[in-house]
Amino acid sequence: MTDAIRYEKGQDNIVVLTMDMPGQSANTMNAVYREAMGKIVDRLETEKDSIAGVIVTSAKKTFFAGGDLAELIKVTKADAQTFYAMILNIKGQLRRLETLGKPVVAAINGAALGGGWEIALACHHRIALDNPSVQLGLPEVTLGLLPGGGGVVRMVRLLGLEKALPYLVEGKKIRPDAALKAGLVHELAGDKDDLLAKARAWIVANPNAVQPWDVKGYKIPGGTPSSPNVAQMLAIAPSVLRDKTKGCFPAPEKIMCAAVEGAQVDFDTAQIIEARYFTELTTGQVAKNMIGTFWFQLNEINAGGSRPQGFAPYVTKKVGVLGAGMMGAGIAYVSAVAGIDVVLKDISIEGAEKGKDYSAKLLEKKVGRGQMSAEKRDGILARIKPTASDADFAGCDLIIEAVFEDRDLKAKVTAAAERAALSDAVIASNTSTLPITGLAGAVQNQDKFIGLHFFSPVDKMPLVEIIKGEQTSDETLARGFDYVMQIKKTPIVVNDSRGFFTSRVFGTFTNEGLAMLGEGVSAAMIENEARKAGMPVGPLAISDEVSMSLMNHIRQQTIKDLAGEGKQILDHPAYALIDMMLNEYKRPGKAAGAGFYDYPAAGGKKHLWPELKARFEKADAQISQEDVRDRILFIQAIETVRCVEEGVLKSVADANIGSIFGIGFAAWTGGALQFINQYGVQDFVARAQYLAEQYGERFLPPALLLDKAANNQLF
């Protein structure tokens, strides 16, 4: 019939449909699938009198991967009508399958995400392989989309609005055992043979199966939106959602619309509502930003796009961590969890033990939640050896220095560790700002020295910024890249400079917020507009978290370093404000209990320091909300362009992923460079020039940006 979906009818008259898209590692809802499924459904309808039932399964490692993102990212507003018709066709095929009048079973042999789960939902009975590597769910929202193949309609009818919304709005993925408890699958199977045997048995036992929502009088669990309990939930749900998205992400809001509106009408009308919202999102810019970055560019990075070629993959066996503070303890934790032996050194054994306790507490939480066995926890902890002696670094093939941002201290501890470690060990610094080439001067083998910049808290933050110094060899870079992948983090690779990429751009974000406060702009407005622009927290709150003491220390170290090179630091209006907060008001940040925010004792909610209004705010200095948002986003995007121009950044993917994963740049934009692309390069230049006229030369577009605009080129 077709290579894409094999049609095999056995002696028991049960048809097994095996999805196997040619030339692909996973099945997707592309044109080949659409044509094949159309022909399959036609044949099933023609031959249905001789059929006992249908089993849908896959020849791939996974069941079905979902929509064809390469196709979806190209759909424009001009294509909307054609695309909408195509979506209705996909839905129509699945609807014909579930109303065939014969029992249909999904034999889910691997991950069924997005369109894959929608195919499964269109089956009367779902049996999943009982394997923890199998994931089920509808993650479309994470790419700016909604489930457009009937996922919203069927999940709401299966679970009810309240229980379905977390899967739809949050893109929650679930393992087979949890899916069984939640009522999403009906049975689990031990292996592929068991899967098919159980599917056949169910078909024989249920010859007249129909979907619950096709039974006359069926009511949605929990009730429709007009039911008192659901109406009460829906009265607050939109405002709760808006508080999370700040209006930056249309997909969660459209999903809620499709779910609530679809629950008030019949099945076929609900399908139309879902298709219209799906078309609106797919043709919109935010989905294109998110698909491009979180799918294509992230896959490019994880496939080793920035890793030097010609070096065999390296598996780190034993890592020595210098400094058992929060960063060092976090690095020890992620390394041990990845199966690497760790030597965690601090000034005292007590300090090192305290660093190990950090891992013990994190693991204890996992055991308490039932996510890990006590045996596994003990095995991970046994890999971490706390010490106060450099001699214990014997046998280490990687050393990571994570001490205070002090050049002399870093030099002293890395030199001592290098002498004790293996002769070919890679020596890395977790510095966030100090140039790697200068730090490498402390070790004998400068070609083995590299920057591995982690983000806090290490156990949660997904990014590691790998910094290549002037002497760093390609082999060392490849080993550093492999270690980052080994600990299941996302690596970006940058060339050396002061602050590298992420710290430089992050500094522009905090400094711009502080500059606006210094000008007299309302503190509350700065914080609120930053979040409305898509930043996870405001610049004043994050300055408190980092601490103005540290910001000042880094500035003083920079002044000292530049003086040694005969250079001066460029002044910034934020510096005077930091000095005032430190020296005059004695409010260095959160750790001290006082910064731009007050931090009440006994777990009270933090709030802006009331005196900010009296001491800084000026009635005649207020600017538009749009200007506040643009100053925050534009200054970071412009600094990112400078990093490209100077050769610090090597790829657009590293720039976009690094800006979002490392410093929380507005995710709806697709990253700092994609923000410029989607704004329109020429329009961005014009807006930047306006901001420069109004607020300072730091907004002037760099030459590279002007060239791109002149040649109508994107990043």
Side-chain angles (χ1 to χ4, degrees):
M1 181 79 197
T2 167
D3 290 338
I5 305 176
R6 289 196 295 279
Y7 185 111
E8 296 164 304
K9 188 162 85 169
Q11 291 181 336
D12 54 6
N13 289 328
I14 291 173
V15 174
V16 178
L17 301 178
T18 307
M19 299 180 289
D20 190 8
M21 306 290 132
Q24 296 181 200
S25 60
N27 297 310
T28 56
M29 272 183 182
N30 56 16
V32 173
Y33 160 83
R34 293 191 294 272
E35 184 185 357
M37 184 56 93
K39 288 177 180 174
I40 289 287
V41 175
D42 287 346
R43 182 174 176 183
L44 287 171
E45 288 173 343
T46 303
E47 300 179 9
K48 78 174 182 179
D49 291 343
S50 65
I51 292 170
V54 180
I55 298 170
V56 183
T57 192
S58 163
K60 310 288 189 192
K61 191 177 168 188
T62 57
F63 179 72
F64 199 98
D68 184 346
L69 293 169
E71 186 178 59
L72 291 175
I73 200 170
K74 292 175 187 163
V75 180
T76 66
K77 291 198 187 313
D79 306 320
Q81 195 62 47
T82 312
F83 179 75
Y84 172 69
M86 183 195 79
I87 294 305
L88 289 181
N89 179 46
I90 291 173
K91 288 166 169 292
Q93 291 170 354
L94 293 177
R95 186 67 179 142
R96 286 162 64 200
L97 183 66
E98 75 179 345
T99 56
L100 184 67
K102 299 292 177 179
V104 182
V105 180
I108 305 166
N109 60 295
L113 296 169
W117 182 242
E118 290 178 302
I119 291 170
L121 284 171
C123 300
H124 305 117
H125 196 69
R126 290 172 290 283
I127 309 170
L129 201 61
D130 189 10
N131 187 317
S133 69
V134 173
Q135 289 187 311
L136 313 171
L138 298 165
E140 284 90 340
V141 69
T142 61
L143 295 174
L145 299 169
L146 62 70
V152 177
V153 178
R154 289 187 178 89
M155 284 291 277
V156 168
R157 278 159 172 71
L158 181 66
L159 299 179
L161 272 165
E162 194 165 2
K163 286 186 179 170
L165 282 173
Y167 294 101
L168 299 167
V169 173
E170 297 165 23
K172 185 178 166 188
K173 291 185 266 195
I174 194 168
R175 308 279 175 205
D177 55 347
L180 182 66
K181 287 178 193 163
L184 292 171
V185 300
H186 304 95
E187 291 182 76
L188 300 181
D191 56 34
K192 190 98 186 247
D193 291 339
D194 188 29
L195 197 61
L196 292 173
K198 283 182 171 171
R200 290 179 193 281
W202 192 85
I203 286 170
V204 171
N206 297 273
N208 301 312
V210 291
Q211 291 284 34
W213 42 86
D214 289 326
V215 176
K216 195 171 180 183
Y218 178 76
K219 288 185 167 53
I220 292 174
T224 64
S226 59
S227 310
N229 287 350
V230 179
Q232 195 174 358
M233 181 267 289
L234 291 177
I236 58 165
S239 59
V240 171
L241 187 62
R242 189 77 175 187
D243 188 54
K244 283 184 183 173
T245 67
K246 304 297 179 195
C248 294
F249 299 93
E253 295 179 11
K254 302 301 180 192
I255 288 169
M256 185 173 279
C257 292
V260 174
E261 291 166 25
Q264 300 176 73
V265 294
D266 63 88
F267 189 95
D268 292 336
T269 308
Q271 290 262 64
I272 290 168
I273 290 168
E274 181 189 275
R276 286 175 176 169
Y277 280 123
F278 183 56
T279 303
E280 182 184 344
L281 288 172
T282 306
T283 57
Q285 186 60 48
V286 173
K288 294 187 179 356
N289 297 342
M290 295 177 77
I291 293 168
T293 299
F294 296 125
W295 183 256
F296 291 105
Q297 292 181 5
L298 186 56
N299 284 346
E300 178 191 322
I301 287 171
N302 289 333
S306 299
R307 183 190 188 275
Q309 301 305 299
F311 301 96
Y314 186 89
V315 178
T316 297
K317 297 167 194 70
K318 187 177 180 183
V319 60
V321 181
L322 290 158
M326 192 169 174
M327 295 303 290
I331 295 166
Y333 170 78
V334 295
S335 300
V337 166
I340 303 168
D341 289 333
V342 180
V343 177
L344 182 59
K345 178 181 181 268
D346 209 85
I347 299 166
S348 66
I349 188 69
E350 291 80 14
E353 291 279 7
K354 189 179 173 189
K356 182 175 179 177
D357 284 345
Y358 178 82
S359 288
K361 285 172 186 166
L362 287 176
L363 294 168
E364 197 52 56
K365 282 182 187 171
K366 285 186 179 287
V367 173
R369 292 190 204 112
Q371 296 169 331
M372 182 181 285
S373 67
E375 187 181 21
K376 188 172 181 185
R377 171 201 63 197
D378 295 344
I380 293 169
L381 285 174
R383 293 189 196 114
I384 303 174
K385 176 183 172 64
T387 185
S389 169
D390 287 318
D392 286 321
F393 289 135
C396 286
D397 50 354
L398 172 64
I399 299 289
I400 303 175
E401 166 272 303
V403 300
F404 191 62
E405 289 287 271
D406 181 282
R407 184 180 297 282
D408 296 335
L409 174 62
K410 288 178 183 291
K412 180 182 163 189
V413 297
T414 48
E418 183 190 34
R419 288 192 291 273
L422 290 173
S423 59
D424 66 342
V426 167
I427 313 294
S429 175
N430 176 52
T431 180
S432 59
T433 55
L434 300 173
I436 290 300
T437 304
L439 293 177
V443 300
Q444 294 297 311
N445 300 316
Q446 293 191 26
D447 62 319
K448 296 282 184 191
F449 196 87
I450 197 167
L452 291 178
H453 175 208
F454 289 80
F455 297 80
S456 183
V458 176
D459 59 290
K460 289 181 181 164
M461 295 295 277
L463 192 79
V464 177
E465 183 177 30
I466 304 175
I467 304 105
K468 186 177 189 285
E470 280 177 23
Q471 305 297 321
T472 306
S473 71
D474 279 353
E475 183 183 4
T476 298
L477 178 55
R479 278 178 60 174
F481 192 99
D482 293 344
Y483 163 72
V484 174
M485 294 297 287
Q486 195 178 338
I487 60 170
K488 295 183 169 53
K489 298 287 185 190
T490 300
I492 63 164
V493 177
V494 302
N495 284 319
D496 196 18
S497 87
R498 186 168 301 282
F500 323 126
F501 160 52
T502 56
S503 294
R504 270 178 67 171
V505 175
F506 177 75
T508 65
F509 166 53
T510 53
N511 282 346
E512 200 57 37
L514 271 56
M516 284 191 272
L517 184 66
E519 291 165 18
V521 178
S522 155
M525 185 183 186
I526 295 165
E527 296 292 87
N528 289 335
E529 293 306 317
R531 289 193 294 271
K532 278 158 73 175
M535 300 301 294
V537 289
L540 306 183
I542 203 70
S543 295
D544 273 6
E545 294 281 346
V546 172
S547 101
M548 281 167 276
S549 303
L550 179 59
M551 290 160 84
N552 182 56
H553 173 82
I554 291 167
R555 179 171 29 127
Q556 298 310 323
Q557 180 74 60
T558 304
I559 289 168
K560 186 177 160 188
D561 289 352
L562 288 176
E565 300 169 24
K567 298 175 186 170
Q568 280 189 320
I569 192 169
L570 287 173
D571 196 26
H572 193 287
Y575 298 156
L577 199 116
I578 293 170
D579 292 342
M580 198 182 295
M581 291 295 286
L582 287 174
N583 304 326
E584 192 174 331
Y585 302 136
K586 313 289 188 216
R587 297 181 66 90
K590 184 181 177 181
F596 293 113
Y597 284 76
D598 276 335
Y599 299 89
K605 195 177 177 186
K606 74 175 186 184
H607 55 264
L608 281 165
W609 181 36
E611 287 293 307
L612 288 177
K613 195 171 183 69
R615 294 173 194 268
F616 294 104
E617 195 174 314
K618 297 172 191 159
D620 61 350
Q622 300 316 304
I623 60 177
S624 72
Q625 294 175 335
E626 185 185 10
D627 278 14
V628 174
R629 292 195 297 273
D630 281 358
R631 285 177 68 172
I632 281 163
L633 295 180
F634 271 65
I635 200 69
Q636 296 179 77
I638 288 165
E639 191 66 22
T640 302
V641 174
R642 289 196 185 104
C643 288
V644 176
E645 194 172 60
E646 294 167 22
V648 175
L649 278 166
K650 298 165 72 173
S651 80
V652 170
D654 283 348
N656 286 329
I657 289 292
S659 65
I660 295 172
F661 284 10
I663 55 177
F665 190 80
W668 67 268
T669 67
L673 292 181
Q674 178 57 22
F675 173 60
I676 299 172
N677 289 345
Q678 61 94 45
Y679 196 95
V681 179
Q682 291 165 338
D683 290 342
F684 185 94
V685 164
R687 180 68 175 157
Q689 286 166 337
Y690 162 83
L691 293 171
E693 286 167 17
Q694 298 294 317
Y695 306 112
E697 291 183 0
R698 59 189 178 277
F699 287 101
L700 284 172
L704 174 62
L705 188 53
L706 293 171
D707 287 347
K708 292 273 187 192
N711 295 306
N712 207 19
Q713 292 176 327
L714 298 175
F715 284 97

